[in-house]
Amino acid sequence: MQNNQFGFNITGTAGIPIVIEASTNLARPDWIALQTLTLTNGSFFFSEPMQPNNPGRFYRISSP
């Protein structure tokens, strides 16, 4: 977390398509797709502005 941004690195095999999703409740997850991309050179840095209305936000990576 830096400058009101939250982010993390994703690494894996180059050319793999992924979807970054978020949910605010793991007991009743309603996953929302935030970004769809292909891992270029095997890595990607995901970031988004802090979500003050969602103090608990969970992320996952899936395939499209």
Side-chain angles (χ1 to χ4, degrees), residues 31-53:
W31 295 103
I32 298 168
L34 302 176
Q35 190 167 3
T36 301
L37 61 113
T38 299
L39 286 181
T40 304
N41 299 322
S43 66
F44 178 78
F45 181 76
F46 170 80
S47 69
E48 72 170 347
M50 292 300 298
Q51 304 293 318
N53 295 332

Side-chain angles (χ1 to χ4, degrees), residues 5-18:
Q5 293 274 326
F6 171 79
F8 51 88
N9 289 309
I10 301 167
T11 58
T13 304
I16 292 179
I18 63 169

